[in-house]
Amino acid sequence: VLANLDDHVAYQTRLENDGIMFGAGPLSDDAEQQWRGDGLFIYRAESREAAVRLAAADPMHARGARSFTVRPWLLNEGTFSVRLFYSGGRPRID
């Protein structure tokens, strides 16, 4: 896993910059005491097959360091907010 971490992060960063990755991160155990290597990625994909291709291309998966399962997800509820800061002469979005 560690040998593939830099390439994995670079791949995920590219997907984020391209607007494909909605969110990603590790999952804790039920006791919230350990990070065992499981994680969750939410891709913006036109189909399940496209999401499988995205996950399979992740260096972590392509090199056999981790495996994945793709499940469709329907976003029904929630709120998405964006804050735009103009201060300091360099606008930024948080």
Side-chain angles (χ1 to χ4, degrees):
V1 169
L2 293 179
N4 295 291
L5 189 58
D6 289 344
D7 291 339
H8 162 75
V9 171
Y11 178 75
Q12 294 299 337
T13 300
R14 182 173 60 80
L15 293 181
E16 181 179 7
N17 289 337
D18 290 348
I20 295 169
M21 186 173 58
F22 178 77
L27 297 171
S28 172
D29 66 355
D30 289 341
E32 299 180 18
Q33 299 296 312
Q34 295 183 3
W35 304 97
R36 296 191 175 156
D38 294 336
L40 175 71
F41 298 89
I42 303 172
Y43 298 134
R44 293 179 180 95
E46 65 273 4
S47 66
R48 183 180 185 284
E49 292 76 22
V52 168
R53 286 191 301 271
L54 289 167
D58 183 323
M60 200 67 79
H61 304 142
R63 297 173 187 160
R66 288 195 175 149
S67 62
F68 66 90
T69 301
V70 173
R71 294 189 183 116
W73 178 53
L74 179 62
L75 177 59
N76 281 336
E77 294 89 20
T79 302
F80 178 77
S81 300
V82 175
R83 297 186 327 166
L84 179 58
F85 292 87
Y86 291 102
S87 301
R90 296 188 58 183
R92 84 172 192 270
I93 297 174
D94 283 351

